[in-house]
Amino acid sequence: MDALSLQCPSLLLLFFLSLIVQCALAQLPGMWEVLVPNAGIASMHTAVTRFNTVVLLDRTNIGPSRKMLLKGHCRTNQHDAVLKNDCYAHSALFDLQTNSIRPLMILTDTWCSSGQFLPNGTLLQTGGDSDGLKKIRKFEPCEPNGSCDWVELNHIELAEGRWYATNQILPDGSVIIVGGRATNTVEFYPPRKNGAVSFPFLSDMEDAQMDNLYPYVHLLPSGHLFIFANTKAVLYDHESNKVLRNYPPLDGGPRNYPSAGSSAMLALQRDYSTAEIVVCGGAQYGVFLEKTTDSPAHGTCGRIVATEPDPVWQMEDMPFTRIMGDMVMLPTGDVLIINGAQKGAQGFEMASNPCLYPVLYRQDQPAGLRFMTLNPGTVPRMYHSTANLLPDGRVLLAGSNPHIFYKFDAEFPTELRIEAFSPEYLSADRANIRPTMEEMPETVRYGETFDVFVSVSLPVVGIVEINLGSAPFATHSFSHGQRLVKLAVTSAVPDGNGRYKIGCTAPPNGMVAPPGYYMAFAVNQGVPSVARWIHLIA
Ligand SMILES: *[C@@H]1O[C@H](CO)[C@@H](O)[C@H](O)[C@H]1NC(C)=O
Ligand SMILES: *[C@@H]1O[C@H](CO)[C@@H](O)[C@H](O)[C@H]1NC(C)=O
């Protein structure tokens, strides 16, 4: 054979192979879109309000962002390491209706802080670094055309400084604030008499002060807290401040900051007696100290039935190794794992190989069949990036700033674009089974029964679920206060003209769903409606 005939088949083969690869990629589910080309700030902390606006929050002490405060507004702060007179925004409000951004005024440093919506829809935000270490702030959301802004409380402060703490709303509507750097205690908002309470679990690990930051805190339907740090987890009674039980350790090395994996509590459903926790990914032990940005991350997830008397971790392999992934509870009960990197650790310029592929974790499938690889994005979102479920079923991606200041001439630059990822359930070929929420009460009490009316183009077969999604505070690869509660429902009864009536029962108590505003989705054959906000009250 001559050289040409040797070359041609291999070229042809390459051509067909590349076609196959392209087709396979084109077929991966999910769609990406850029919502805002320049948000002006890189959001390190992100939360969706009941007015369909999104609070974006970075840190002060970071120098010029790319968004100015409103004309004539500046922050004068002698503590600021970079700008003593700072006219740049470090927080902003994003309006989902118009994709517009309004700068907000934050006074003290919110770096690596924590937050949670209170029962009346006010966002409580606590701690940070420097002059923000003990700060308590509130943001009372308003109509998108309003002028609501941050209010920093001056009459009270946290009992202890909290940098890298986790917040979780409790059944009575108060908030527990867990841990923080060199702060192995818990405290509450509103403050309780005994102030900060010792929580030795956080110091009782091999490398205390390492890999125990931003602990994964989940409120179980028993009312107790499942708290995971490093490789360990406990069942904690926040009333008596007692550890009730130690869970077995999770194999595969530490999972919390700076070895960030992520964690979610799977959807609560049926009689709400069971809760399962999933912890996925993380850095290899010690990578943060050695600063080896090319050490492969973990590819394992552990899943445990936290409400069983003697549970063990069931291990699963993700399709990709991943650190700094975000786990987002979708309205269906599936978990989207998105953002992050495949190598390195959490921290400034500590990671490489961005993981552009989201994966879907289908909790109801048998082990081994739960992961599905989705359409990859193009924007690396690593350290200091966030992911939040939106009321229309999309997922909002913001931030990524692996640098200590804003830096754009870098391999992984400060990221100012805001994107949305649409899971496959929003694809055009499913539009005719997508339900529309027609009527739903604005407020319901625990245990109350009520009717929801939906309309669907194609006839409904079987059950239309009504699922309540909380609006968590997303930061550092963990969504504080994230939960999805599936309501007990009747079959959908035809009501004429493609309308259906669904009888629902509100969650029985605040242990299943703490009081507050939830996104109520109707879900028909895995396709969610646009949510309506529902106020759950005692
Ligand atoms: C919501 O609750 C917080 C905390 O109790 C309070 O500070 C705030 O004023 C309340 N907001 C409204 C609108 O009632
Ligand atoms: C804001 O919009 C609402 C309707 O969404 C309207 O009722 C109200 O008057 C507007 N307020 C201002 C200040 O424009």
Side-chain angles (χ1 to χ4, degrees), residues 369-418:
L369 297 175
R370 290 185 182 139
F371 287 102
M372 183 198 260
T373 300
L374 306 177
N375 190 15
T378 54
V379 179
R381 298 210 187 252
M382 309 208 289
Y383 191 41
H384 288 156
S385 64
T386 59
N388 295 70
L389 176 66
L390 296 178
D392 63 11
R394 294 179 300 173
V395 173
L396 181 113
L397 294 322
S400 189
N401 187 10
H403 312 286
I404 191 153
F405 300 118
Y406 282 23
K407 186 172 179 183
F408 299 95
D409 58 339
E411 186 182 7
F412 304 117
T414 302
E415 183 52 62
L416 301 178
R417 280 171 287 185
I418 295 180

Side-chain angles (χ1 to χ4, degrees), residues 118 120 122 138 140 189:
L118 297 172
N120 66 6
T122 292
K138 284 181 184 171
E140 225 164 74
Y189 179 88

Side-chain angles (χ1 to χ4, degrees), residues 281-522:
Q284 278 186 45
Y285 178 79
V287 167
F288 180 80
L289 297 172
E290 290 154 19
K291 303 204 185 304
T292 47
T293 58
D294 56 353
S295 299
H298 290 302
T300 59
C301 291
R303 172 168 168 166
I304 196 165
V305 186
T307 43
E308 261 182 12
D310 230 348
V312 292
W313 292 96
Q314 182 190 53
M315 300 306 292
E316 298 174 80
D317 286 316
M318 295 190 283
F320 301 92
T321 64
R322 196 184 297 255
I323 42 163
M324 299 184 283
D326 283 277
M327 297 180 78
V328 180
M329 290 300 304
L330 297 180
T332 53
D334 289 339
V335 185
L336 182 73
I337 307 176
I338 195 165
N339 294 344
Q342 296 182 69
K343 292 181 176 176
Q346 208 168 21
F348 292 126
E349 296 168 12
M350 294 287 295
S352 66
N353 295 63
C355 196
L356 298 173
Y357 287 88
V359 300
L360 197 62
Y361 179 76
R362 296 169 299 173
Q363 60 158 325
D364 292 332
Q365 297 289 317
L369 297 175
R370 290 185 182 139
F371 287 102
M372 183 198 260
T373 300
L374 306 177
N375 190 15
T378 54
V379 179
R381 298 210 187 252
M382 309 208 289
Y383 191 41
H384 288 156
S385 64
T386 59
N388 295 70
L389 176 66
L390 296 178
D392 63 11
R394 294 179 300 173
V395 173
L396 181 113
L397 294 322
S400 189
N401 187 10
H403 312 286
I404 191 153
F405 300 118
Y406 282 23
K407 186 172 179 183
F408 299 95
D409 58 339
E411 186 182 7
F412 304 117
T414 302
E415 183 52 62
L416 301 178
R417 280 171 287 185
I418 295 180
E419 288 177 290
F421 178 74
S422 295
E424 192 180 19
Y425 54 53
L426 296 179
S427 65
D429 62 343
R430 304 205 184 172
N432 54 11
I433 55 170
R434 187 173 200 201
T436 304
M437 196 67 104
E438 299 278 358
E439 280 178 47
M440 195 194 69
E442 283 180 10
T443 302
V444 295
R445 289 183 180 280
Y446 289 119
E448 185 180 332
T449 55
F450 59 98
D451 292 331
V452 165
F453 290 86
V454 303
S455 62
V456 190
S457 310
L458 283 185
V460 163
V461 238
I463 295 289
V464 174
E465 295 180 324
I466 305 293
N467 299 340
L468 305 187
S470 69
F473 184 88
T475 190
H476 289 78
S477 313
F478 182 65
S479 284
H480 302 193
Q482 175 167 243
R483 72 208 289 115
L484 186 81
V485 180
K486 296 193 172 194
L487 300 187
V489 292
T490 64
S491 298
V493 180
D495 190 48
N497 295 323
R499 260 169 71 103
Y500 295 84
K501 182 168 106 174
I502 301 148
C504 307
T505 308
N509 54 49
M511 303 188 288
V512 172
Y517 288 87
Y518 289 80
M519 294 175 266
F521 294 92

Side-chain angles (χ1 to χ4, degrees), residues 143-146:
E143 292 288 346
N145 59 2

Side-chain angles (χ1 to χ4, degrees), residues 203-336:
S203 49
D204 180 23
M205 38 192 73
E206 221 164 287
D207 40 358
Q209 310 319 325
M210 273 287 295
D211 300 318
N212 68 349
L213 300 179
Y214 278 127
Y216 303 144
V217 180
H218 299 287
L219 173 67
L220 301 181
S222 61
H224 299 139
L225 296 167
F226 178 95
I227 304 180
F228 183 101
N230 200 299
T231 61
K232 297 183 182 175
V234 290
L235 185 68
Y236 183 67
D237 181 343
H238 55 85
E239 299 291 349
S240 63
N241 296 312
K242 284 202 173 73
V243 168
L244 303 179
R245 191 205 298 179
N246 291 282
Y247 292 95
L250 175 57
D251 285 343
R255 307 280 182 159
N256 296 80
Y257 186 96
S259 294
S262 187
S263 177
M265 180 169 68
L266 299 180
L268 301 177
Q269 50 193 319
R270 293 181 278 274
D271 66 356
Y272 308 119
S273 62
T274 304
E276 291 188 78
I277 309 294
V278 184
V279 175
C280 291
Q284 278 186 45
Y285 178 79
V287 167
F288 180 80
L289 297 172
E290 290 154 19
K291 303 204 185 304
T292 47
T293 58
D294 56 353
S295 299
H298 290 302
T300 59
C301 291
R303 172 168 168 166
I304 196 165
V305 186
T307 43
E308 261 182 12
D310 230 348
V312 292
W313 292 96
Q314 182 190 53
M315 300 306 292
E316 298 174 80
D317 286 316
M318 295 190 283
F320 301 92
T321 64
R322 196 184 297 255
I323 42 163
M324 299 184 283
D326 283 277
M327 297 180 78
V328 180
M329 290 300 304
L330 297 180
T332 53
D334 289 339
V335 185
L336 182 73

